[in-house]
Amino acid sequence: MSTMGNGNGSNVHPESLDPLDPFRLVAEKCKEAGSEFEITARGTNVDLAVAIPNGRQKRWRRLSRDQARSYLANPFTEVMYLGDLDACLFKDARTIEATIQLHGTGPRLERSVFDIPGIRKLDDGQLPLDEELEDVKSSDSDSGDRLRPGDDWVLDVEEAQGLSYKVELGTASERFTEFTTRLYRPGGRSSAYLARSQIRDKFSTLRLVDVDVTRHDEALQLLTRVSDALFFEIDLRFDVPLKLAAARDRVKRQRRRFVSRSDVATAGVRAPRTAYSEKPLSLYWYGRASTGVPLLEFLAYYQVLEYYFPSYGRRDILDKLRHELRDPRFEIEDDAHLSRVLMLASQAGKGFGSERDQLKATVKGCVTEGHLKEFLESDADFGEHFQGKALKSVARIDLKDRKNDLLNQVANRVYDIRCRIVHTKEDGGESAAEILLPFSKEAESLGPDVELVKFLAQKCLIAGASRLHG
């Protein structure tokens, strides 16, 4: 046995518990299977946590006694979680099951799929995991008994020649309901009870039955390959955009909005005195409306910065041109003087350097090093993220780096991420880095970088604002 190592409470030996205590019985099952578990005591409260394998990693589940009894009724040592998805491989039943949901926001998934041909209502409730589809009772399709939200259902998927497994869509099976992270509530009632007793807790899954895989990577690859193909064809034929759901315990804490310390003391809402440019502000609101879609959100805020490239990218040249024209010695009849003006004007027409250079000029034109330090120090997690390796092939930001200008560090990181979103290796783009894919771990770790580029977009909008006239 090994423990979670959280340092909370004191370890309890299973044999010190009542022989019929479900915590002790689960612990004994874990010992037999060589699985990890932990029993701890906090005063008079006793807690049990078990480790469910997930490839080279594991997911710890803290159980109530009701949940422990449910685990005993199901061979939990035959269960394996799959990657970052809310998905399980049930090795003894040779079945993979994964929670599905709609892309984006919209109606309940069931309302979107209820008109797909082949869908059937299950009269006897949730589908047992090992039940043959042909033996499940269903309502007569001609009876006029339409499916309604909250009904248990199954969608027959026609078998394809050459495939040894069956594909099913429908209400989650009873067994999967015990292990899903969607309904997991540490120390609460059993998830199965909640799912059966409340319509709002019912959810739908994709099941692959009679699979010939036992290893984590093979099962995850099979699930991904089948779901990608099936969901794309369902979308083509029925306009229903499905996806596999991420594990609930994978979801990070909600990003904390950055608020300047100088803003905290400001009381109340005052009438606006400043007008902001309409077009970049529209792009900013597009970014705010894209919350939860990190790549799209990042690009929307980047476009705000991009809008100001001409202003900040040419500012140095325009200042030189202005100084040239203001020089009392400037003679309009002197060809040499006019040639200098023409040369500066031609440079201004071409912009100021590469896109990376224009981004650097924009960052330096709208934000100070002090502003950036305040932002980067506003969250304890920012330092580790911006210096870490969560994102490959992007510049890091280190406040302690005295050799590299902080403004340049920030601009380089923002531009590297932008290139990873819009360029592939084959594009021949400046970064030549691997594309940053939606729904990947890298994309889901992008939160602090989205906050950073949003902060820069806000500063650009402020710097480009004018006085509001009545």
Side-chain angles (χ1 to χ4, degrees):
M1 177 190 78
S2 67
T3 69
M4 296 172 69
N6 56 22
N8 296 325
S10 56
N11 290 335
V12 174
H13 198 281
E15 293 181 2
S16 66
L17 301 176
D18 186 279
L20 297 180
D21 190 318
F23 283 178
R24 175 171 175 172
L25 297 177
V26 167
E28 290 172 352
K29 288 282 187 182
C30 288
K31 280 187 175 182
E32 292 174 9
S35 301
E36 299 178 59
F37 68 93
E38 176 191 60
I39 303 178
T40 56
R42 295 172 178 80
T44 58
N45 295 324
V46 178
D47 293 322
L48 168 69
V50 297
I52 306 294
N54 185 19
R56 297 177 183 85
Q57 301 174 336
K58 62 181 74 72
R59 291 188 199 168
W60 283 94
R61 308 305 302 273
R62 194 172 297 280
L63 308 179
S64 67
R65 280 187 165 81
D66 281 345
Q67 291 168 326
R69 292 186 184 94
S70 297
Y71 269 46
L72 288 169
N74 292 284
F76 66 93
T77 57
E78 294 291 324
V79 180
M80 180 185 294
Y81 285 118
L82 299 179
D84 294 319
L85 301 172
D86 189 31
C88 292
L89 166 65
F90 299 99
K91 292 182 287 186
D92 56 328
R94 301 177 67 234
T95 298
I96 296 171
E97 187 162 3
T99 301
I100 59 175
Q101 63 186 72
L102 291 173
H103 277 277
T105 58
R108 288 176 58 95
L109 182 147
E110 289 81 1
R111 289 177 179 168
S112 299
V113 301
F114 278 177
D115 290 328
I116 295 179
I119 195 166
R120 297 186 290 160
K121 179 180 177 181
L122 297 176
D123 289 337
D124 294 335
Q126 288 176 296
L127 185 71
L129 186 64
D130 56 355
E131 185 82 39
E132 289 291 333
L133 253 177
E134 291 77 2
D135 295 334
V136 176
K137 293 182 179 180
S138 63
S139 60
D140 188 345
S141 59
D142 297 327
S143 67
D145 186 14
R146 268 187 73 83
L147 286 161
R148 295 179 177 84
D151 287 340
D152 292 296
W153 61 278
V154 67
L155 174 62
D156 297 323
V157 177
E158 295 181 9
E159 295 184 29
Q161 187 174 3
L163 295 183
S164 59
Y165 50 84
K166 301 175 185 177
V167 182
E168 305 169 357
L169 292 173
T171 303
S173 70
E174 292 180 359
R175 186 174 181 188
F176 182 73
T177 305
E178 297 296 335
F179 297 95
T180 176
T181 61
R182 177 186 173 92
L183 303 179
Y184 178 60
R185 292 168 172 81
R189 299 188 196 183
S190 73
S191 55
Y193 172 83
L194 287 166
R196 286 192 292 268
S197 63
Q198 299 180 38
I199 289 177
R200 64 182 177 84
D201 280 323
K202 290 189 176 182
F203 61 102
S204 304
T205 60
L206 165 68
R207 289 182 290 274
L208 307 183
V209 184
D210 292 333
V211 296
D212 190 23
V213 293
T214 57
R215 298 172 63 86
H216 171 273
D217 292 354
E218 293 173 345
L220 180 59
Q221 184 180 41
L222 176 62
L223 173 63
T224 303
R225 188 170 65 246
V226 172
S227 62
D228 282 346
L230 176 65
F231 294 164
F232 181 61
E233 293 181 10
I234 288 176
D235 187 45
L236 286 177
R237 297 182 61 195
F238 308 108
D239 194 28
V240 179
L242 300 174
K243 68 174 181 178
L244 298 176
R248 185 63 57 88
D249 50 10
R250 174 192 181 189
V251 178
K252 304 291 190 296
R253 66 180 179 86
Q254 188 172 6
R255 297 203 307 264
R256 184 172 66 84
R257 184 175 68 89
F258 168 73
V259 179
S260 172
R261 284 189 288 270
S262 61
D263 294 336
V264 174
T266 302
V269 179
R270 65 188 181 192
R273 295 174 294 181
T274 306
Y276 304 96
S277 299
E278 180 181 356
K279 292 180 180 178
L281 187 59
S282 178
L283 292 169
Y284 175 80
W285 287 125
Y286 182 54
R288 292 296 278 157
S290 303
T291 300
V293 189
L295 302 191
L296 188 60
E297 195 178 359
F298 185 96
L299 285 179
Y301 295 135
Y302 184 87
Q303 284 184 298
V304 176
L305 306 182
E306 208 169 28
Y307 180 87
Y308 290 98
F309 281 5
S311 299
Y312 291 103
R314 300 171 187 167
R315 179 160 294 181
D316 184 56
I317 295 174
L318 292 175
D319 287 342
K320 291 179 181 178
L321 182 59
R322 188 177 293 109
H323 295 159
E324 185 73 25
L325 294 174
R326 285 176 177 172
D327 192 328
R329 295 167 296 181
F330 176 78
E331 292 289 346
I332 194 171
E333 301 297 334
D334 190 317
D335 288 349
H337 290 182
L338 290 177
S339 294
R340 286 200 297 270
V341 171
L342 285 173
M343 181 180 67
L344 289 170
S346 64
Q347 292 177 11
K350 295 177 182 177
F352 184 66
S354 66
E355 184 170 348
R356 186 188 293 270
D357 291 332
Q358 292 183 72
L359 175 59
K360 289 180 180 179
T362 301
V363 170
K364 291 179 179 180
C366 71
V367 66
T368 67
E369 187 170 303
H371 288 148
L372 280 173
K373 283 184 177 179
E374 183 183 1
F375 170 83
L376 294 170
E377 292 173 347
S378 68
D379 192 302
D381 295 334
F382 280 178
E384 180 181 355
H385 175 82
F386 289 119
Q387 295 179 54
K389 300 179 180 180
L391 292 169
K392 297 180 292 184
S393 304
V394 299
R396 300 180 190 177
I397 301 173
D398 186 357
L399 287 173
K400 298 179 181 179
D401 186 353
R402 303 301 180 189
K403 295 182 180 179
N404 295 300
D405 180 76
L406 178 60
L407 299 173
N408 284 337
Q409 290 184 59
V410 168
N412 284 329
R413 184 178 181 91
V414 169
Y415 187 72
D416 288 344
I417 294 173
R418 174 261 180 198
C419 287
R420 286 205 56 197
I421 295 174
V422 301
H423 290 312
T424 63
K425 289 181 177 179
E426 291 77 13
D427 281 335
E430 182 179 334
S431 71
E434 184 177 353
I435 189 170
L436 187 55
L437 292 172
F439 316 118
S440 64
K441 283 186 178 180
E442 285 189 302
E444 297 212 356
S445 71
L446 207 58
D449 290 286
V450 172
E451 289 298 308
L452 173 60
V453 73
K454 182 179 77 172
F455 171 75
L456 295 176
Q458 291 170 340
K459 288 297 184 182
C460 279
L461 284 164
I462 294 170
S466 59
R467 188 169 184 80
L468 181 65
H469 298 287

